[in-house]
Amino acid sequence: MNRRFSRVESGADLKDYFDRGDIASRENRWNFEVAWEVANKVGGIYTVIRSKAYVSTEEMGEQLCMMGPYKEHCARTEMEEMEFPRGNPLLDAVNSMRSRGYKIHTGRWLVDGNPQLILFDIGSAAWKLDQFKSEMWEKCHIGIPHLDIETNDAIILGFMIAEFLEEFRNLAVTYSQNNELSAPRVVAHFHEWQAGVALIVLRTRQVEIATVFTTHATLLGRYLCAGNTDFYNNLDKFAVDEEAGKRQIYHRYCLERGATNLAHVFTTVSEITGYEAEHLLKRKPDIITPNGLNVKKFSAIHEFQNLHAVAKEKINEFVRGHFYGHIDFDLDKTLYFFIAGRYEFGNKGADIFIEALARLNAMLKHEKPDTTVVAFLIFPTKTNNFNVDSLRGHAVIKQLRDTINNVQQEVGKRMFDTCLRGNIPNADDLLQKEDLVKIKRCMFAMQRDSMPPVTTHNVADDWNDPVLSSIRRCHLFNSRHDRVKMVFHPEFLTSTNPLFGIDYEEFVRGCHLGVFPSYYEPWGYTPAECTVMGIPSVTTNLSGFGCFMEEHISDPKSYGIYIVDRRYIGLENSVQQLSSFMMEFSRLNRRQRIIQRNRTERLSDLLDWRTLGIYYRQARVKALQAVYPDYVDELTLYGSRNNLIFSRPHSEPPSPTSSRHTTPAPSVHGSDDEDSVDEETELKELGIK
């Protein structure tokens, strides 16, 4: 597979272009970004667009406008409604559309950057649905079933946006002529097949607008992987039309494929998705546009380590309650692993995670019996209610803590009074019989005959639940002899959760290792979030994130990124590799884990939108040059080209000559043993003077 697209040295840092749209305004260049998820929290693309909004507005300023459907329940909290200023072609275009009977809401998105918004009320144009479908059939021969409500909505939104963009361009030309400006250059970026309808309409109507289409995951790919097919080994063998027809998504597939092939520039979020699109959508991506995050940098290196310690103590509190009566393991020698995401058992790799945990359990019993691993599986699914045993455990622990606190206060008072009278306190006088009785009652209440539950909730249809079935098959029942303990939490974490009492971000910070051995993962925000928080993670070479890290870091393992091979070796070998990675991590002492977290957090610059946003700019420039051949992006030609280069870890030995100059040097993993690390360089890496 060609790897030339998403190399870090391929462009300048996006911060070089942060002028709040000054250059774009002088060039009369306009940028529209279209997605179903704009100010509409319904999927992962919402996270992409929302997190990218800040760098987009810093680059484009008022020359940027985001467009999507108006969903009142989301817009009430996401959008501040206001009109565009007078004399702006955006306002003229909006008023023109309103005069045709369309309801359009304008304002600003209440996120970092506050980008301009135009949201279209789909219901106001529903009366033209048959006309829109007729045009789609006459020009593209794509028929839309009457009962497919989601596609009907996408058709209405697509035609409304296409009409708006066409009207805007005509008004912008008139505005430019009247104000002696250069001819307007308009580029529109569409995300996923729902927004792609507008792209198809613009191209079939031959509107002079540059278009970019991004697929974050192919429609057919998701359906094929959900059906347990051998996806990647058969990509070139699938009869795509037939497969789409079998799944009753042929019309959606045609819309996605049409947008892909009509766009001036086609992008995907990762190389693995580009490979998938090449076979399923019949076009190679022109540019890879990886997903980034807004990275919060800490002024001191130890701050995120302190956050880890605080969050870990909150998880310790949950573990004390969940495993009451069976706390025969040392929490200071306990590691917390977790997997989280949509409940796609095979696609997310939960199947091989549980299998690898069973093997890790056997290895720990033999090699490190004093180390315990608590594995959390966080997948939302249908439940009846909280598990009574789990709630009881937390109540029992609370009762014990309250009792101990009361006894402590009483003992303190007695000790103070005894010393005040000039006597040396006697243990028998301080801890009285009634205090011991209270403590014994609490301790007897903590006894249990059953093993701690493997789930925090009563899962609906638990006998057929894939996670619980796999746990039963692997005999991971949280017995005293097991060194791997299982906790299946079938709902997302929130701060109002009565068991954990922390939100997802804080939970991630408190864990030691995120494990995401996905089979189908176009990008993978979960390991990326771990990385920017300084938490090591396991990913695969079938996820976009894993491919990206493999491309840019010559030795990912030394930076806390473990990449499981799920593409070129068999399933059994992948399970063995995953279990060996987890065992390798379990062997690290606390000091080595601190060093690894520091290195992992250092990679956050690589995942910042300030770094990755440059690829979106390159896609727009390429599209503009396809429509306006005379367009020259001067900053791309003459601007700075700052390569993002990581320094070699201080505590690593000199790198082999084969290491690439643009990436951190390969290192011998495990060279951080206490006897082999130079104390001075290690302290330097930890930021301790």
Side-chain angles (χ1 to χ4, degrees), residues 97-138:
M97 292 290 287
R98 285 170 175 164
S99 67
R100 301 178 192 180
Y102 298 149
K103 287 185 180 178
I104 297 179
H105 300 259
T106 61
R108 291 191 178 274
W109 197 355
L110 297 176
V111 297
D112 289 344
N114 295 115
Q116 298 178 118
L117 279 185
I118 300 177
L119 301 182
F120 297 81
D121 189 331
I122 294 172
S124 66
W127 58 281
K128 297 185 74 174
L129 177 60
D130 289 339
Q131 178 185 329
F132 295 155
K133 285 185 176 182
S134 176
E135 181 177 338
M136 186 63 69
W137 174 253
E138 289 170 4

mmCIF file of all heavy atoms in Angstrom, residues 97-138:
data_model
loop_
_atom_site.group_PDB
_atom_site.id
_atom_site.type_symbol
_atom_site.label_atom_id
_atom_site.label_comp_id
_atom_site.label_asym_id
_atom_site.label_seq_id
_atom_site.Cartn_x
_atom_site.Cartn_y
_atom_site.Cartn_z
ATOM 1 N N MET A 97 -32.749 32.033 -0.130
ATOM 2 C CA MET A 97 -33.294 30.691 0.137
ATOM 3 C C MET A 97 -34.584 30.786 0.952
ATOM 4 O O MET A 97 -35.535 30.028 0.722
ATOM 5 C CB MET A 97 -32.255 29.860 0.885
ATOM 6 C CG MET A 97 -31.015 29.500 0.074
ATOM 7 S SD MET A 97 -31.356 28.300 -1.238
ATOM 8 C CE MET A 97 -31.573 26.813 -0.283
ATOM 9 N N ARG A 98 -34.603 31.693 1.895
ATOM 10 C CA ARG A 98 -35.809 31.855 2.712
ATOM 11 C C ARG A 98 -36.983 32.324 1.864
ATOM 12 O O ARG A 98 -38.136 31.949 2.121
ATOM 13 C CB ARG A 98 -35.539 32.843 3.850
ATOM 14 C CG ARG A 98 -34.687 32.256 4.972
ATOM 15 C CD ARG A 98 -34.235 33.310 5.964
ATOM 16 N NE ARG A 98 -33.523 32.722 7.089
ATOM 17 C CZ ARG A 98 -32.762 33.409 7.933
ATOM 18 N NH1 ARG A 98 -32.617 34.731 7.774
ATOM 19 N NH2 ARG A 98 -32.141 32.799 8.923
ATOM 20 N N SER A 99 -36.689 33.107 0.852
ATOM 21 C CA SER A 99 -37.764 33.595 -0.017
ATOM 22 C C SER A 99 -38.383 32.465 -0.835
ATOM 23 O O SER A 99 -39.491 32.601 -1.347
ATOM 24 C CB SER A 99 -37.223 34.678 -0.957
ATOM 25 O OG SER A 99 -36.295 34.132 -1.891
ATOM 26 N N ARG A 100 -37.658 31.336 -0.948
ATOM 27 C CA ARG A 100 -38.193 30.174 -1.665
ATOM 28 C C ARG A 100 -39.015 29.263 -0.746
ATOM 29 O O ARG A 100 -39.498 28.215 -1.174
ATOM 30 C CB ARG A 100 -37.044 29.356 -2.259
ATOM 31 C CG ARG A 100 -36.167 30.138 -3.229
ATOM 32 C CD ARG A 100 -35.015 29.288 -3.734
ATOM 33 N NE ARG A 100 -34.003 30.095 -4.430
ATOM 34 C CZ ARG A 100 -32.899 29.613 -4.974
ATOM 35 N NH1 ARG A 100 -32.654 28.305 -4.918
ATOM 36 N NH2 ARG A 100 -32.031 30.420 -5.558
ATOM 37 N N GLY A 101 -39.126 29.642 0.532
ATOM 38 C CA GLY A 101 -39.931 28.859 1.464
ATOM 39 C C GLY A 101 -39.126 27.950 2.365
ATOM 40 O O GLY A 101 -39.699 27.203 3.179
ATOM 41 N N TYR A 102 -37.800 27.983 2.265
ATOM 42 C CA TYR A 102 -36.956 27.139 3.106
ATOM 43 C C TYR A 102 -36.702 27.818 4.454
ATOM 44 O O TYR A 102 -36.457 29.029 4.511
ATOM 45 C CB TYR A 102 -35.603 26.864 2.443
ATOM 46 C CG TYR A 102 -35.683 26.122 1.129
ATOM 47 C CD1 TYR A 102 -34.737 26.343 0.126
ATOM 48 C CD2 TYR A 102 -36.682 25.190 0.888
ATOM 49 C CE1 TYR A 102 -34.785 25.663 -1.077
ATOM 50 C CE2 TYR A 102 -36.750 24.506 -0.312
ATOM 51 C CZ TYR A 102 -35.796 24.742 -1.306
ATOM 52 O OH TYR A 102 -35.864 24.069 -2.489
ATOM 53 N N LYS A 103 -36.737 27.042 5.527
ATOM 54 C CA LYS A 103 -36.393 27.555 6.853
ATOM 55 C C LYS A 103 -34.903 27.311 7.096
ATOM 56 O O LYS A 103 -34.439 26.171 7.019
ATOM 57 C CB LYS A 103 -37.213 26.861 7.939
ATOM 58 C CG LYS A 103 -38.668 27.293 7.982
ATOM 59 C CD LYS A 103 -39.382 26.650 9.167
ATOM 60 C CE LYS A 103 -40.848 27.083 9.218
ATOM 61 N NZ LYS A 103 -41.568 26.436 10.345
ATOM 62 N N ILE A 104 -34.193 28.388 7.377
ATOM 63 C CA ILE A 104 -32.745 28.290 7.587
ATOM 64 C C ILE A 104 -32.386 29.034 8.865
ATOM 65 O O ILE A 104 -32.843 30.153 9.092
ATOM 66 C CB ILE A 104 -31.969 28.885 6.387
ATOM 67 C CG1 ILE A 104 -32.274 28.084 5.122
ATOM 68 C CG2 ILE A 104 -30.472 28.893 6.655
ATOM 69 C CD1 ILE A 104 -31.587 28.603 3.878
ATOM 70 N N HIS A 105 -31.571 28.389 9.703
ATOM 71 C CA HIS A 105 -31.120 28.981 10.962
ATOM 72 C C HIS A 105 -29.630 29.301 10.842
ATOM 73 O O HIS A 105 -28.840 28.451 10.423
ATOM 74 C CB HIS A 105 -31.343 28.017 12.128
ATOM 75 C CG HIS A 105 -32.778 27.640 12.332
ATOM 76 N ND1 HIS A 105 -33.570 28.198 13.304
ATOM 77 C CD2 HIS A 105 -33.572 26.749 11.663
ATOM 78 C CE1 HIS A 105 -34.776 27.676 13.237
ATOM 79 N NE2 HIS A 105 -34.811 26.792 12.243
ATOM 80 N N THR A 106 -29.265 30.510 11.199
ATOM 81 C CA THR A 106 -27.862 30.921 11.131
ATOM 82 C C THR A 106 -27.390 31.360 12.513
ATOM 83 O O THR A 106 -28.190 31.758 13.363
ATOM 84 C CB THR A 106 -27.663 32.087 10.145
ATOM 85 O OG1 THR A 106 -28.432 33.214 10.588
ATOM 86 C CG2 THR A 106 -28.103 31.695 8.744
ATOM 87 N N GLY A 107 -26.094 31.283 12.725
ATOM 88 C CA GLY A 107 -25.537 31.685 14.013
ATOM 89 C C GLY A 107 -24.127 31.176 14.179
ATOM 90 O O GLY A 107 -23.377 31.038 13.205
ATOM 91 N N ARG A 108 -23.789 30.871 15.432
ATOM 92 C CA ARG A 108 -22.451 30.365 15.733
ATOM 93 C C ARG A 108 -22.552 29.126 16.603
ATOM 94 O O ARG A 108 -23.432 29.010 17.457
ATOM 95 C CB ARG A 108 -21.604 31.436 16.436
ATOM 96 C CG ARG A 108 -21.236 32.594 15.509
ATOM 97 C CD ARG A 108 -20.196 33.503 16.124
ATOM 98 N NE ARG A 108 -19.831 34.579 15.202
ATOM 99 C CZ ARG A 108 -18.894 34.473 14.263
ATOM 100 N NH1 ARG A 108 -18.224 33.340 14.128
ATOM 101 N NH2 ARG A 108 -18.626 35.493 13.461
ATOM 102 N N TRP A 109 -21.603 28.209 16.379
ATOM 103 C CA TRP A 109 -21.535 26.954 17.126
ATOM 104 C C TRP A 109 -20.854 27.240 18.459
ATOM 105 O O TRP A 109 -19.784 27.860 18.507
ATOM 106 C CB TRP A 109 -20.738 25.935 16.324
ATOM 107 C CG TRP A 109 -20.928 24.516 16.765
ATOM 108 C CD1 TRP A 109 -21.644 24.055 17.836
ATOM 109 C CD2 TRP A 109 -20.397 23.348 16.126
ATOM 110 N NE1 TRP A 109 -21.606 22.691 17.910
ATOM 111 C CE2 TRP A 109 -20.843 22.228 16.870
ATOM 112 C CE3 TRP A 109 -19.586 23.143 15.003
ATOM 113 C CZ2 TRP A 109 -20.479 20.921 16.531
ATOM 114 C CZ3 TRP A 109 -19.237 21.847 14.667
ATOM 115 C CH2 TRP A 109 -19.685 20.748 15.410
ATOM 116 N N LEU A 110 -21.459 26.800 19.542
ATOM 117 C CA LEU A 110 -20.932 27.059 20.880
ATOM 118 C C LEU A 110 -19.847 26.042 21.244
ATOM 119 O O LEU A 110 -19.982 25.243 22.178
ATOM 120 C CB LEU A 110 -22.079 27.034 21.905
ATOM 121 C CG LEU A 110 -23.133 28.119 21.704
ATOM 122 C CD1 LEU A 110 -24.276 27.946 22.692
ATOM 123 C CD2 LEU A 110 -22.523 29.503 21.827
ATOM 124 N N VAL A 111 -18.766 26.071 20.489
ATOM 125 C CA VAL A 111 -17.588 25.244 20.755
ATOM 126 C C VAL A 111 -16.361 26.136 20.594
ATOM 127 O O VAL A 111 -16.477 27.296 20.181
ATOM 128 C CB VAL A 111 -17.506 24.032 19.793
ATOM 129 C CG1 VAL A 111 -18.694 23.110 19.974
ATOM 130 C CG2 VAL A 111 -17.403 24.497 18.333
ATOM 131 N N ASP A 112 -15.189 25.608 20.916
ATOM 132 C CA ASP A 112 -13.960 26.388 20.755
ATOM 133 C C ASP A 112 -13.838 26.875 19.322
ATOM 134 O O ASP A 112 -13.932 26.093 18.373
ATOM 135 C CB ASP A 112 -12.739 25.532 21.110
ATOM 136 C CG ASP A 112 -12.639 25.252 22.592
ATOM 137 O OD1 ASP A 112 -13.319 25.960 23.357
ATOM 138 O OD2 ASP A 112 -11.893 24.337 22.982
ATOM 139 N N GLY A 113 -13.605 28.167 19.155
ATOM 140 C CA GLY A 113 -13.487 28.754 17.825
ATOM 141 C C GLY A 113 -14.748 29.442 17.363
ATOM 142 O O GLY A 113 -14.693 30.345 16.513
ATOM 143 N N ASN A 114 -15.922 29.033 17.882
ATOM 144 C CA ASN A 114 -17.213 29.634 17.491
ATOM 145 C C ASN A 114 -17.366 29.831 15.994
ATOM 146 O O ASN A 114 -17.563 30.944 15.507
ATOM 147 C CB ASN A 114 -17.418 30.977 18.197
ATOM 148 C CG ASN A 114 -17.551 30.830 19.692
ATOM 149 O OD1 ASN A 114 -16.711 31.312 20.435
ATOM 150 N ND2 ASN A 114 -18.580 30.150 20.146
ATOM 151 N N PRO A 115 -17.302 28.748 15.199
ATOM 152 C CA PRO A 115 -17.444 28.909 13.749
ATOM 153 C C PRO A 115 -18.865 29.303 13.371
ATOM 154 O O PRO A 115 -19.828 29.047 14.102
ATOM 155 C CB PRO A 115 -17.104 27.507 13.209
ATOM 156 C CG PRO A 115 -17.438 26.584 14.331
ATOM 157 C CD PRO A 115 -17.112 27.331 15.587
ATOM 158 N N GLN A 116 -18.991 29.953 12.195
ATOM 159 C CA GLN A 116 -20.306 30.326 11.676
ATOM 160 C C GLN A 116 -21.078 29.063 11.272
ATOM 161 O O GLN A 116 -20.500 28.106 10.766
ATOM 162 C CB GLN A 116 -20.147 31.241 10.462
ATOM 163 C CG GLN A 116 -19.446 32.545 10.787
ATOM 164 C CD GLN A 116 -19.269 33.412 9.554
ATOM 165 O OE1 GLN A 116 -19.781 34.505 9.482
ATOM 166 N NE2 GLN A 116 -18.522 32.920 8.572
ATOM 167 N N LEU A 117 -22.383 29.094 11.498
ATOM 168 C CA LEU A 117 -23.236 27.941 11.215
ATOM 169 C C LEU A 117 -24.395 28.333 10.308
ATOM 170 O O LEU A 117 -24.957 29.425 10.439
ATOM 171 C CB LEU A 117 -23.833 27.381 12.511
ATOM 172 C CG LEU A 117 -23.013 26.453 13.408
ATOM 173 C CD1 LEU A 117 -23.898 25.966 14.544
ATOM 174 C CD2 LEU A 117 -22.461 25.271 12.631
ATOM 175 N N ILE A 118 -24.745 27.417 9.424
ATOM 176 C CA ILE A 118 -26.004 27.500 8.682
ATOM 177 C C ILE A 118 -26.653 26.125 8.790
ATOM 178 O O ILE A 118 -26.094 25.130 8.323
ATOM 179 C CB ILE A 118 -25.794 27.864 7.202
ATOM 180 C CG1 ILE A 118 -25.091 29.213 7.065
ATOM 181 C CG2 ILE A 118 -27.135 27.896 6.474
ATOM 182 C CD1 ILE A 118 -24.789 29.586 5.624
ATOM 183 N N LEU A 119 -27.799 26.058 9.452
ATOM 184 C CA LEU A 119 -28.510 24.795 9.635
ATOM 185 C C LEU A 119 -29.832 24.845 8.869
ATOM 186 O O LEU A 119 -30.578 25.832 8.950
ATOM 187 C CB LEU A 119 -28.758 24.527 11.123
ATOM 188 C CG LEU A 119 -27.510 24.452 12.019
ATOM 189 C CD1 LEU A 119 -27.896 24.123 13.455
ATOM 190 C CD2 LEU A 119 -26.514 23.424 11.488
ATOM 191 N N PHE A 120 -30.116 23.771 8.144
ATOM 192 C CA PHE A 120 -31.277 23.712 7.255
ATOM 193 C C PHE A 120 -32.380 22.853 7.877
ATOM 194 O O PHE A 120 -32.124 21.712 8.282
ATOM 195 C CB PHE A 120 -30.866 23.121 5.900
ATOM 196 C CG PHE A 120 -29.852 23.950 5.157
ATOM 197 C CD1 PHE A 120 -28.495 23.867 5.461
ATOM 198 C CD2 PHE A 120 -30.250 24.823 4.157
ATOM 199 C CE1 PHE A 120 -27.564 24.631 4.780
ATOM 200 C CE2 PHE A 120 -29.321 25.590 3.466
ATOM 201 C CZ PHE A 120 -27.977 25.496 3.783
ATOM 202 N N ASP A 121 -33.573 23.406 7.945
ATOM 203 C CA ASP A 121 -34.735 22.668 8.458
ATOM 204 C C ASP A 121 -35.269 21.779 7.337
ATOM 205 O O ASP A 121 -35.877 22.256 6.370
ATOM 206 C CB ASP A 121 -35.805 23.653 8.929
ATOM 207 C CG ASP A 121 -36.937 22.956 9.669
ATOM 208 O OD1 ASP A 121 -37.208 21.774 9.366
ATOM 209 O OD2 ASP A 121 -37.541 23.585 10.558
ATOM 210 N N ILE A 122 -35.026 20.478 7.472
ATOM 211 C CA ILE A 122 -35.374 19.533 6.408
ATOM 212 C C ILE A 122 -36.876 19.524 6.140
ATOM 213 O O ILE A 122 -37.326 19.420 4.993
ATOM 214 C CB ILE A 122 -34.874 18.116 6.787
ATOM 215 C CG1 ILE A 122 -33.343 18.106 6.817
ATOM 216 C CG2 ILE A 122 -35.390 17.069 5.813
ATOM 217 C CD1 ILE A 122 -32.754 16.819 7.360
ATOM 218 N N GLY A 123 -37.667 19.657 7.201
ATOM 219 C CA GLY A 123 -39.122 19.605 7.040
ATOM 220 C C GLY A 123 -39.663 20.684 6.126
ATOM 221 O O GLY A 123 -40.697 20.501 5.462
ATOM 222 N N SER A 124 -38.969 21.843 6.054
ATOM 223 C CA SER A 124 -39.481 22.954 5.243
ATOM 224 C C SER A 124 -39.357 22.695 3.749
ATOM 225 O O SER A 124 -39.964 23.403 2.941
ATOM 226 C CB SER A 124 -38.732 24.248 5.606
ATOM 227 O OG SER A 124 -37.365 24.153 5.244
ATOM 228 N N ALA A 125 -38.564 21.669 3.365
ATOM 229 C CA ALA A 125 -38.410 21.357 1.936
ATOM 230 C C ALA A 125 -38.933 19.970 1.594
ATOM 231 O O ALA A 125 -38.728 19.487 0.478
ATOM 232 C CB ALA A 125 -36.939 21.473 1.528
ATOM 233 N N ALA A 126 -39.618 19.336 2.553
ATOM 234 C CA ALA A 126 -40.096 17.966 2.322
ATOM 235 C C ALA A 126 -41.089 17.895 1.165
ATOM 236 O O ALA A 126 -41.192 16.859 0.489
ATOM 237 C CB ALA A 126 -40.734 17.421 3.600
ATOM 238 N N TRP A 127 -41.789 18.996 0.907
ATOM 239 C CA TRP A 127 -42.785 18.999 -0.173
ATOM 240 C C TRP A 127 -42.133 18.854 -1.554
ATOM 241 O O TRP A 127 -42.803 18.539 -2.542
ATOM 242 C CB TRP A 127 -43.609 20.286 -0.115
ATOM 243 C CG TRP A 127 -42.796 21.549 -0.225
ATOM 244 C CD1 TRP A 127 -42.079 22.148 0.761
ATOM 245 C CD2 TRP A 127 -42.622 22.355 -1.394
ATOM 246 N NE1 TRP A 127 -41.457 23.276 0.290
ATOM 247 C CE2 TRP A 127 -41.776 23.439 -1.030
ATOM 248 C CE3 TRP A 127 -43.093 22.283 -2.718
ATOM 249 C CZ2 TRP A 127 -41.390 24.414 -1.925
ATOM 250 C CZ3 TRP A 127 -42.721 23.280 -3.609
ATOM 251 C CH2 TRP A 127 -41.873 24.322 -3.218
ATOM 252 N N LYS A 128 -40.809 19.068 -1.630
ATOM 253 C CA LYS A 128 -40.110 18.947 -2.909
ATOM 254 C C LYS A 128 -39.360 17.621 -3.039
ATOM 255 O O LYS A 128 -38.570 17.448 -3.969
ATOM 256 C CB LYS A 128 -39.115 20.105 -3.066
ATOM 257 C CG LYS A 128 -39.759 21.476 -3.119
ATOM 258 C CD LYS A 128 -38.754 22.580 -3.397
ATOM 259 C CE LYS A 128 -38.319 22.560 -4.852
ATOM 260 N NZ LYS A 128 -37.447 23.724 -5.180
ATOM 261 N N LEU A 129 -39.607 16.685 -2.106
ATOM 262 C CA LEU A 129 -38.856 15.425 -2.102
ATOM 263 C C LEU A 129 -38.994 14.676 -3.428
ATOM 264 O O LEU A 129 -37.997 14.187 -3.983
ATOM 265 C CB LEU A 129 -39.320 14.536 -0.939
ATOM 266 C CG LEU A 129 -38.676 13.144 -0.855
ATOM 267 C CD1 LEU A 129 -37.157 13.252 -0.694
ATOM 268 C CD2 LEU A 129 -39.272 12.341 0.310
ATOM 269 N N ASP A 130 -40.207 14.576 -3.948
ATOM 270 C CA ASP A 130 -40.409 13.843 -5.205
ATOM 271 C C ASP A 130 -39.655 14.501 -6.358
ATOM 272 O O ASP A 130 -39.093 13.817 -7.227
ATOM 273 C CB ASP A 130 -41.907 13.756 -5.531
ATOM 274 C CG ASP A 130 -42.639 12.811 -4.587
ATOM 275 O OD1 ASP A 130 -41.957 11.956 -3.980
ATOM 276 O OD2 ASP A 130 -43.868 12.932 -4.445
ATOM 277 N N GLN A 131 -39.633 15.826 -6.362
ATOM 278 C CA GLN A 131 -38.892 16.541 -7.405
ATOM 279 C C GLN A 131 -37.391 16.257 -7.296
ATOM 280 O O GLN A 131 -36.717 16.029 -8.309
ATOM 281 C CB GLN A 131 -39.156 18.052 -7.255
ATOM 282 C CG GLN A 131 -38.397 18.911 -8.265
ATOM 283 C CD GLN A 131 -38.599 20.395 -8.001
ATOM 284 O OE1 GLN A 131 -39.649 20.810 -7.511
ATOM 285 N NE2 GLN A 131 -37.588 21.189 -8.315
ATOM 286 N N PHE A 132 -36.877 16.257 -6.056
ATOM 287 C CA PHE A 132 -35.450 15.970 -5.845
ATOM 288 C C PHE A 132 -35.108 14.548 -6.289
ATOM 289 O O PHE A 132 -34.092 14.307 -6.959
ATOM 290 C CB PHE A 132 -35.087 16.144 -4.369
ATOM 291 C CG PHE A 132 -35.223 17.548 -3.851
ATOM 292 C CD1 PHE A 132 -35.436 17.787 -2.490
ATOM 293 C CD2 PHE A 132 -35.133 18.639 -4.697
ATOM 294 C CE1 PHE A 132 -35.552 19.072 -2.003
ATOM 295 C CE2 PHE A 132 -35.258 19.941 -4.224
ATOM 296 C CZ PHE A 132 -35.476 20.150 -2.872
ATOM 297 N N LYS A 133 -35.970 13.584 -5.928
ATOM 298 C CA LYS A 133 -35.728 12.185 -6.304
ATOM 299 C C LYS A 133 -35.762 12.017 -7.819
ATOM 300 O O LYS A 133 -34.977 11.240 -8.390
ATOM 301 C CB LYS A 133 -36.778 11.274 -5.654
ATOM 302 C CG LYS A 133 -36.560 11.031 -4.170
ATOM 303 C CD LYS A 133 -37.584 10.012 -3.675
ATOM 304 C CE LYS A 133 -37.356 9.647 -2.227
ATOM 305 N NZ LYS A 133 -38.307 8.630 -1.754
ATOM 306 N N SER A 134 -36.681 12.739 -8.442
ATOM 307 C CA SER A 134 -36.803 12.649 -9.895
ATOM 308 C C SER A 134 -35.522 13.142 -10.571
ATOM 309 O O SER A 134 -35.017 12.509 -11.508
ATOM 310 C CB SER A 134 -38.007 13.476 -10.364
ATOM 311 O OG SER A 134 -38.092 13.482 -11.768
ATOM 312 N N GLU A 135 -34.983 14.248 -10.085
ATOM 313 C CA GLU A 135 -33.731 14.760 -10.663
ATOM 314 C C GLU A 135 -32.583 13.782 -10.433
ATOM 315 O O GLU A 135 -31.744 13.574 -11.320
ATOM 316 C CB GLU A 135 -33.393 16.120 -10.043
ATOM 317 C CG GLU A 135 -32.111 16.721 -10.626
ATOM 318 C CD GLU A 135 -31.791 18.104 -10.085
ATOM 319 O OE1 GLU A 135 -32.718 18.791 -9.590
ATOM 320 O OE2 GLU A 135 -30.608 18.508 -10.142
ATOM 321 N N MET A 136 -32.549 13.165 -9.244
ATOM 322 C CA MET A 136 -31.486 12.205 -8.948
ATOM 323 C C MET A 136 -31.566 11.009 -9.896
ATOM 324 O O MET A 136 -30.538 10.480 -10.340
ATOM 325 C CB MET A 136 -31.600 11.759 -7.481
ATOM 326 C CG MET A 136 -30.469 10.863 -7.001
ATOM 327 S SD MET A 136 -28.845 11.636 -7.031
ATOM 328 C CE MET A 136 -29.015 12.840 -5.724
ATOM 329 N N TRP A 137 -32.795 10.591 -10.220
ATOM 330 C CA TRP A 137 -32.955 9.447 -11.126
ATOM 331 C C TRP A 137 -32.595 9.832 -12.567
ATOM 332 O O TRP A 137 -31.905 9.084 -13.260
ATOM 333 C CB TRP A 137 -34.382 8.919 -11.055
ATOM 334 C CG TRP A 137 -34.657 7.844 -12.069
ATOM 335 C CD1 TRP A 137 -35.393 7.937 -13.202
ATOM 336 C CD2 TRP A 137 -34.142 6.512 -12.040
ATOM 337 N NE1 TRP A 137 -35.393 6.761 -13.895
ATOM 338 C CE2 TRP A 137 -34.626 5.855 -13.208
ATOM 339 C CE3 TRP A 137 -33.336 5.799 -11.166
ATOM 340 C CZ2 TRP A 137 -34.320 4.534 -13.505
ATOM 341 C CZ3 TRP A 137 -33.032 4.474 -11.456
ATOM 342 C CH2 TRP A 137 -33.516 3.855 -12.617
ATOM 343 N N GLU A 138 -33.060 10.992 -13.007
ATOM 344 C CA GLU A 138 -32.824 11.403 -14.394
ATOM 345 C C GLU A 138 -31.343 11.640 -14.685
ATOM 346 O O GLU A 138 -30.852 11.302 -15.760
ATOM 347 C CB GLU A 138 -33.616 12.680 -14.698
ATOM 348 C CG GLU A 138 -35.125 12.453 -14.783
ATOM 349 C CD GLU A 138 -35.894 13.759 -14.846
ATOM 350 O OE1 GLU A 138 -35.229 14.823 -14.892
ATOM 351 O OE2 GLU A 138 -37.142 13.716 -14.834
#
